[in-house]
Amino acid sequence: MIEGRILKVSGPLVIAEGMREANMFDVVRVGDAKLIGEIIEMHGDRASIQVYEETAGLGRGDVVISTGAPLSVELGPGLISSIYDGIQRPLETMAEKYGANIRRGIDEPALNRDKKWFFTPTASYGDEVQAGDVLGFVEETPVIRHKIMVPPGKSGTVAEIHAGTFTVTDTVGKLKRKDGTVEPITLMQKWPVRRARPIAEKLPPVEPLISGQRVIDALFPLAKGGTACVPGPFGSGKTVVQHQLAKWSDVDLVVYIGCGERGNEMTDVLREFPELTDPRTGKSLMARTVLIANTSDMPVAAREASVYTGITIAEYYRDMGLSVAVIADSTSRWAEALREMSGRLEEMPGEEGYPAYLTSRLAQFYERAGKTVCLGADRRIGTLSAIGAVSPQGGDISEPVTQATLRIVKVFWGLDSSLAYRRHFPAINWLNSYSLYRDRLTDWFGENIATDWIAKTGEIARILGQESDLQEIVKLVGADALSPDDRMTLETAQSIREDFLQQNAFDGDDSYTSLAKMYALMNLIFSFDKKARAALALGADVSDIAALPVRERIGRAKAVPEATYQTVFAEIENEVDAALAALPKGGTV
């Protein structure tokens, strides 16, 4: 046991001496209250420690004890449906034991030591196994089969394995190593959070992560195993976009990290998710969700730990061959924590006071995403998608955190305050957002939805870009100066914006849209545009076309239930034909 003494306390930073034998990133216990901290810098026998709890009351000479182990998370059955703080302490358990006001220094195990799980072995006595091989499974939730795997770095022969009901610390079998040593097999393993879990191979992502959000899936798709960021000013709907992605994305598991956000936002998740049904499985969304709650009133240093804790849990489930999404809200709060710690360490500041290593820290987080061949003889394929919200001050995306993130991620969903003020949600600006996965996903959309999916979504982007150019002319000389064809373009663009891109997160039928319905809605809008232009050629007036009552039905089409949209859309098509045929024609234009 390595024991040192506090030399200096500066907010969440504690400097201790007598720590020569300690290692970087070792977990330490600080003071009489045994506060949890982590060594982040070593100079001789002096260790700089970031403490993940409130340091009030610590003084010079107080004892610091190193555990000799890095900050690690417990991985095993019981993670799903749980809510943890940034250092993986179970908040619900602590609230039951210690009350709503959680005191400092609590050391509560992340996984319930009393709960029993039924383990079904798939490996047998005498099997040769290597890291990543599946030894058996536990039915953790109705939708997740939790695979018990050989931990990374270990291999050998199965010397003993049993079916039955066990706690996470019970021995379910034994593994005989090549050197003759025998190790117990339990349902739980530990892994240091700052180290990425090893993989066999990384693959290019070629399948979309379907979110049910039309502006995302149609215009700026994210691939499974990809990376994305959602920057936007206060009030532009970052949290709602993140919640929508957590609710409806077609992944097996969601790890939602509340990093320095307001407590009421995490409360919304806890209140809504148990009541919502996953459209793929029909079960509660909490049956596939892990929550990491680090709110704005918690110690600043714990924000960094919360991000690493979340991504490590996600990697563990990815190693089972699952599709996992990590949603961090927001990485700006994490960057602010890095800035504060860097300032207290008296490091040379970079732009706007952020540390010079800001980009590398963000890259370390996002590069742990990907589509991978997992360790193990069966070569499971798993995906980990990373989505981070960024909160630039005043919506200025030229600030360092946003720019550093954009250099790393492949999808940019830029939220626009002017759209939010107009009550257009999701407020993703279609003119400056982008996805670098569109070309890679062309084949998938062509094989699974429609061969002209990419062409049609590209046409949407073209019309919206054309509208932006035409609006500049309208501001100068008015809409009447435009040709009928250009005025029709403005009408179609308005329909795309309001009837397709705009989506109500609080409407049961509009909150989620399948790709098939999305494609049908695009076709409905383009069909009206084509038929309206044919009517224009016969002398119809643009104003008469714009005033047709059937346009209201097209506007309400997005809220038609999935079960009946095909019938309703066919009725609207017939109504469009009848309405346009009844228009007065004034001759060829």
Side-chain angles (χ1 to χ4, degrees):
M1 184 177 70
I2 301 161
E3 186 175 301
R5 297 280 172 176
I6 291 179
L7 199 62
K8 173 186 173 184
V9 179
S10 174
L13 174 68
V14 167
I15 296 176
E17 59 184 354
M19 305 290 289
R20 187 178 296 275
E21 301 301 318
N23 298 311
M24 280 284 287
F25 303 121
D26 275 1
V27 173
V28 297
R29 290 290 181 166
V30 181
D32 295 335
K34 297 192 178 340
L35 308 183
I36 298 173
E38 183 184 22
I39 296 175
I40 56 172
E41 201 173 84
M42 293 287 297
H43 292 288
D45 74 335
R46 291 189 179 182
S48 298
I49 301 161
Q50 65 176 357
V51 181
Y52 294 129
E53 301 182 79
E54 176 57 53
T55 58
L58 291 180
R60 187 184 174 97
D62 285 354
V63 175
V64 175
I65 299 171
S66 172
T67 63
L71 183 66
S72 302
V73 290
E74 294 182 353
L75 303 168
L79 288 169
I80 299 176
S81 302
S82 298
I83 177 166
Y84 296 104
D85 70 356
I87 46 179
Q88 211 202 6
R89 295 183 301 183
L91 293 176
E92 288 178 291
T93 304
M94 292 197 294
E96 289 171 7
K97 286 189 177 181
Y98 307 106
N101 296 316
I102 300 169
R103 60 181 175 80
R104 299 184 300 165
I106 295 174
D107 186 15
E108 193 69 29
L111 297 177
N112 190 323
R113 297 296 194 262
D114 300 321
K115 185 170 182 178
K116 291 183 179 290
W117 303 90
F118 189 84
F119 171 69
T120 304
T122 54
S124 305
Y125 171 78
D127 285 355
E128 291 284 339
V129 293
Q130 59 186 4
D133 281 350
V134 178
L135 299 170
F137 62 87
V138 166
E139 299 291 353
E140 185 173 5
T141 74
V143 298
I144 298 288
R145 173 172 283 187
H146 190 116
K147 294 174 182 173
I148 306 302
M149 302 167 290
V150 178
K154 296 188 178 181
S155 61
T157 305
V158 177
E160 195 178 306
I161 195 159
H162 308 285
T165 305
F166 303 95
T167 66
V168 291
T169 54
D170 289 340
T171 299
V172 301
K174 292 180 180 176
L175 184 68
K176 187 175 182 180
R177 307 289 298 274
K178 289 182 179 178
D179 59 5
T181 59
V182 176
E183 290 189 8
I185 299 169
T186 65
L187 302 183
M188 180 186 80
Q189 56 179 267
K190 288 190 174 184
W191 189 260
V193 298
R194 289 182 181 271
R195 199 163 90 229
R197 286 176 64 89
I199 58 172
E201 185 183 349
K202 208 159 194 173
L203 303 172
V206 291
E207 181 183 350
L209 186 147
I210 300 164
S211 66
Q213 311 307 298
R214 294 185 291 270
V215 65
I216 291 174
D217 293 344
L219 298 185
F220 313 111
L222 171 65
K224 283 185 179 178
T227 54
C229 72
V230 193
F234 178 80
S236 60
K238 287 188 302 297
T239 299
V240 174
V241 170
Q242 298 272 73
H243 284 196
Q244 289 295 93
L245 291 166
K247 290 173 188 175
W248 309 124
S249 294
D250 70 328
V251 292
D252 299 307
L253 184 82
V254 172
V255 180
Y256 191 96
I257 307 168
C259 180
E261 289 301 299
R262 293 177 294 281
N264 63 317
E265 293 178 357
M266 294 306 297
T267 305
D268 287 343
V269 174
L270 284 171
R271 187 184 297 118
E272 289 177 15
F273 276 36
E275 298 174 2
L276 291 171
T277 302
D278 184 346
R280 293 193 310 150
T281 64
K283 306 293 184 182
S284 166
L285 283 175
M286 282 305 291
R288 57 151 207 174
T289 305
V290 180
L291 297 175
I292 311 291
N294 174 262
T295 56
S296 53
D297 60 344
M298 291 181 177
V300 166
R303 294 177 186 177
E304 183 176 17
S306 67
V307 170
Y308 288 119
T309 295
I311 197 81
T312 306
I313 291 172
E315 285 178 329
Y316 175 66
Y317 281 98
R318 176 212 62 197
D319 288 349
M320 298 179 196
L322 300 178
S323 179
V324 185
V326 172
I327 297 176
D329 188 13
S330 82
T331 55
S332 291
R333 306 286 176 259
W334 169 28
E336 288 167 7
L338 290 176
R339 179 167 60 183
E340 177 166 340
M341 292 305 299
S342 177
R344 292 184 185 278
L345 288 166
E346 299 177 0
E347 296 172 337
M348 182 69 73
E351 190 179 355
E352 293 190 22
Y354 288 102
Y357 48 79
L358 171 66
T359 303
S360 66
R361 288 289 177 87
L362 289 170
Q364 285 169 12
F365 169 71
Y366 284 107
E367 73 185 5
R368 289 170 74 167
K371 180 180 180 181
T372 59
V373 178
C374 308
L375 295 181
D378 58 350
R379 289 181 63 84
R380 300 178 298 277
I381 304 293
T383 63
L384 198 169
S385 309
I387 303 159
V390 187
S391 308
Q393 293 181 357
D396 178 16
I397 64 170
S398 65
E399 57 89 43
V401 182
T402 308
Q403 288 302 306
T405 305
L406 290 180
R407 286 195 288 271
I408 300 161
V409 301
K410 299 290 190 295
V411 177
F412 169 58
W413 297 319
L415 297 178
D416 192 327
S417 56
S418 64
L419 288 174
Y421 293 149
R422 300 205 303 264
R423 296 295 182 264
H424 179 109
F425 292 104
I428 294 175
N429 189 314
W430 47 84
L431 296 176
N432 61 15
S433 300
Y434 61 81
S435 168
L436 300 182
Y437 294 115
R438 268 180 68 86
D439 291 342
R440 284 186 184 175
L441 300 175
T442 300
D443 291 344
W444 189 94
F445 282 117
E447 291 169 9
N448 294 275
I449 307 300
T451 53
D452 61 346
W453 172 278
I454 293 294
K456 276 199 165 61
T457 54
E459 181 67 7
I460 285 177
R462 187 193 67 78
I463 291 172
L464 292 172
Q466 197 175 346
E467 180 203 30
S468 178
D469 295 337
L470 291 173
Q471 289 291 3
E472 296 298 320
I473 299 171
V474 170
K475 288 176 186 175
L476 293 173
V477 296
D480 292 338
L482 298 177
S483 68
D485 227 35
D486 285 343
R487 288 172 66 189
M488 193 62 229
T489 297
L490 291 180
E491 292 295 330
T492 302
Q494 181 182 355
S495 183
I496 290 170
R497 287 188 285 104
E498 296 178 0
D499 306 337
F500 184 78
L501 298 183
Q502 200 166 339
Q503 197 163 350
N504 187 350
F506 302 102
D507 182 297
D509 293 313
D510 193 28
S511 183
Y512 172 88
T513 305
S514 68
L515 292 184
K517 181 182 172 184
M518 219 177 283
Y519 180 71
L521 188 55
M522 279 192 281
N523 280 337
L524 190 64
I525 293 170
F526 283 132
S527 175
F528 180 85
D529 175 75
K530 182 180 178 181
K531 291 171 181 176
R533 289 182 191 275
L536 281 179
L538 295 174
D541 189 84
V542 175
S543 302
D544 293 338
I545 293 172
L548 289 174
V550 71
R551 294 204 64 197
E552 289 187 22
R553 286 206 69 189
I554 295 173
R556 293 195 298 270
K558 60 186 177 183
V560 173
E562 290 276 342
T564 59
Y565 80 84
Q566 290 175 317
T567 305
V568 175
F569 285 15
E571 291 173 0
I572 294 173
E573 283 275 14
N574 293 333
E575 196 174 325
V576 167
D577 291 338
L580 289 173
L583 283 176
K585 308 295 191 297
T588 304
V589 177

